[in-house]
Amino acid sequence: MSTMGAVEEELAATLSTVAECTRVDEAAADRIRRHLPALHDALAERADSSSSLLADLVTAAVVAANGRSLELKVHGEQRAAHAPTSRSRYALGAACFADRYAGNLAGLRDEIPALRELGVSVLHVQSPFARREDGAVDLRRGDPGLGSIDRLSDLAAELRLSGIALAVDVPAASDLRVFVDDLLFLAGRGVEVFLVPDRETAAVTAPVLAIGAPGVEVLPASPGSAPLWQAFATGDAAPLQHALERRDGRSVVVAVRDADAVVWQTDAAELTARYTDGSAFGRGIATDGGVAGTTASLAGVEAGDPLGEARVVLAHALLLSLPGLPMLWLGDEVGQLNDPTFRDDPERRDDARWTHRGQKPRDRYAQMTDAATSAGRLRRDITKLIAVRHTTPEFDGARLIGFDVPAPSVVGYQRPGDGTVVLMLANVAAEPVHVPAVTLSGFAPTALDLVEGVDVGIDEGLTLPACGFRWLRVSPVA
């Protein structure tokens, strides 16, 4: 049970307590006034909440703010002025393991020009930290195989100069004070985005970081992509539609895949079989309750399925049109395939997830400008979607309105803008489907296909190709 008082009482008491411990300038006091109510409400949901915990967290934040470099202070204030950055249509995350993609943290600095060309605004370096003897992650020390915390800070500075924010994932912690101190420590070394395990932790840490490190974002980690892969396996879009509609609009990371396996929410054995049966389009490896594999291999590219590339592009069309921060796994934009060599590594052979954690696919990157290759076509199509997203103001913000289509394989939703609406229609089935005219009768008879840049008539309905989609700017009729 919470032992905190009302917000107004806690604000006055906290300001007094913090002032006794450290310098509180007017800017810091203003941040406390603005963000303490959110922190108060988030703490009130926890069993360990108390006035002393609230004061300790705010004090730690102000101490950290006083110790930030001038460069980070100025940059952070500029970034905070455009918050929430992760909801911008210009935001694009990219994720990788530093060693697998670039050798180490220093090697990632050489990848910055390519990241800029792709349009990346957030680079998520997966798990760059050392571990203690008990196996727990030490957020104060870098993984010796990747580089020290100073190397991580150097990478953050180089990225920042190129307009890219450094993101890291952090594990849950039992001691909230220590957890917050570690995040403030990393923010002081240039980390600008933290991906935390759950919404409750994010709800507490976000306002603390807003006080102690303006411009730094705290986001819940991706909820996973199981509904997408279930839809591809079954041709039934209903679970995916339901998952998208129950999103609550808060900033989240959206991903087609991540470092972990796809973990099914239902029918695990049946769905896993769909991706591990050699006669099916998907190529994956069974895990506990799920399946491992790269996007391209699960989608059918590895098997040579004629719809494999279409599934990859459709998955990214969903990713790039949803609210939140889209997180592209580096290598997916050129169709990276499963890596069977992980079984030759004694330290990795028993963990099937390493099949989709392969080394940077340099052969496919060498083909990325050749449209005669799968890598070239995927790179062309995905980068075009990224470019179109930049020119689509409806993709700003967090609003999503479900759009019901009387076809079991079609996902539909609207992204409303300022007097305009973009309608997303996606067919997850391996055969074409027609969206009837009556379904689209609430819109003017002509829509703009944003990807193709042409007007299309929708007054007689619309046919979606197998594993096809449309981003349509539509005009609702009065």
Side-chain angles (χ1 to χ4, degrees):
M1 178 180 293
S2 173
T3 59
M4 295 186 296
V7 172
E8 295 77 9
E9 297 172 359
E10 296 293 352
L11 174 59
T14 299
L15 282 169
S16 176
T17 299
V18 175
E20 293 175 359
C21 300
T22 189
R23 177 176 58 86
V24 183
D25 60 24
E26 187 52 41
D30 180 63
R31 293 197 301 273
I32 293 172
R33 295 185 191 101
R34 283 189 286 124
H35 298 292
L36 185 137
L39 176 58
H40 177 278
D41 292 348
L43 284 176
E45 300 296 320
R46 298 173 58 96
D48 60 349
S49 63
S50 65
S51 297
S52 63
L53 176 59
L54 176 65
D56 286 349
L57 296 178
V58 175
T59 300
V62 177
V63 169
N66 290 340
R68 280 171 74 79
S69 70
L70 178 60
E71 191 269 335
L72 284 179
K73 286 182 179 180
V74 172
H75 178 79
E77 289 169 359
Q78 292 173 341
R79 199 167 189 267
H82 296 90
T85 306
S86 60
R87 292 182 184 173
S88 165
R89 66 185 185 272
Y90 299 104
L92 175 65
C96 68
F97 285 94
D99 57 338
R100 309 296 279 173
Y101 196 76
N104 52 34
L105 294 175
L108 279 176
R109 297 168 69 176
D110 297 332
E111 301 292 339
I112 291 176
L115 296 173
R116 291 189 63 185
E117 181 182 359
L118 186 60
V120 172
S121 63
V122 176
L123 177 63
H124 173 200
V125 179
Q126 185 82 33
S127 306
F129 304 109
R131 290 187 177 273
R132 301 188 181 96
E133 291 185 0
D134 61 1
V137 174
D138 186 347
L139 295 177
R140 302 278 179 139
R141 293 191 300 120
D143 183 330
L146 301 179
S148 66
I149 287 296
D150 287 339
R151 287 282 190 185
L152 188 70
S153 184
D154 290 343
L155 173 62
E158 293 287 339
L159 289 168
R160 195 161 57 247
L161 288 173
S162 297
I164 302 173
L166 174 63
V168 297
D169 52 290
V170 290
S174 56
D175 189 325
L176 187 58
R177 290 177 174 86
V178 172
F179 184 79
V180 166
D181 280 344
D182 285 343
L183 266 58
L184 289 166
F185 167 81
L186 289 168
R189 277 141 186 84
V191 175
E192 295 187 88
V193 180
F194 292 101
L195 306 180
V196 300
D198 55 71
R199 289 186 179 279
E200 290 72 22
T201 302
V204 172
T205 52
V208 176
L209 269 292
I211 294 169
V216 172
E217 292 186 272
V218 179
L219 303 177
S222 167
S225 56
L228 169 67
W229 296 106
Q230 179 179 350
F232 280 147
T234 64
D236 179 8
L240 177 58
Q241 181 78 37
H242 178 66
L244 299 181
E245 290 187 12
R246 70 170 180 256
R247 295 162 57 91
D248 64 8
R250 286 183 286 180
S251 290
V252 295
V253 174
V254 187
V256 171
R257 72 170 176 106
D258 53 36
D260 291 320
V262 175
V263 178
W264 307 118
Q265 300 167 355
T266 183
D267 302 326
E270 178 184 347
L271 291 169
T272 296
R274 301 276 186 117
Y275 286 100
T276 54
D277 180 352
S279 63
F281 66 80
R283 292 289 184 270
I285 299 178
T287 63
D288 185 16
V291 64
T294 68
T295 296
S297 289
L298 293 179
V301 174
E302 181 178 328
D305 187 89
L307 293 174
E309 292 177 20
R311 290 189 187 94
V312 174
V313 177
L314 172 56
H316 287 87
L318 288 162
L319 170 79
L320 293 165
S321 61
L322 289 169
L325 174 65
M327 187 66 70
L328 172 73
W329 193 271
L330 287 172
D332 276 2
E333 78 279 18
V334 292
Q336 182 168 9
L337 303 179
N338 288 344
D339 176 17
T341 66
F342 83 95
R343 295 200 184 279
D344 300 328
D345 185 338
E347 295 183 359
R348 294 188 170 110
R349 64 173 53 145
D350 295 326
D351 187 346
R353 294 175 300 175
W354 289 105
T355 194
H356 61 241
R357 298 175 177 178
Q359 303 283 354
K360 180 180 179 179
R362 299 186 184 280
D363 56 338
R364 297 188 74 89
Y365 276 105
Q367 299 171 342
M368 70 181 186
T369 60
D370 184 358
T373 66
S374 174
R377 290 188 295 272
L378 288 172
R379 168 79 179 199
R380 175 199 63 198
D381 293 347
I382 291 173
T383 54
K384 183 175 183 179
L385 291 177
I386 294 169
V388 173
R389 183 173 186 263
H390 288 171
T391 64
T392 308
E394 294 90 343
F395 289 162
D396 279 328
R399 293 188 64 197
L400 180 147
I401 302 171
F403 185 79
D404 184 44
V405 177
S409 66
V410 176
V411 173
Y413 51 86
Q414 301 172 75
R415 295 298 310 277
D418 185 9
T420 59
V421 174
V422 168
L423 174 65
M424 167 59 163
L425 297 172
N427 175 26
V428 299
E431 55 277 328
V433 65
H434 186 72
V435 180
V438 66
T439 300
L440 302 171
S441 60
F443 304 115
T446 301
L448 174 63
D449 184 316
L450 295 174
V451 178
E452 299 301 326
V454 297
D455 289 336
V456 294
I458 60 174
D459 52 329
E460 295 184 1
L462 188 70
T463 297
L464 296 171
C467 296
F469 71 96
R470 289 288 184 92
W471 288 353
L472 299 174
R473 179 170 284 131
V474 295
S475 300
V477 296

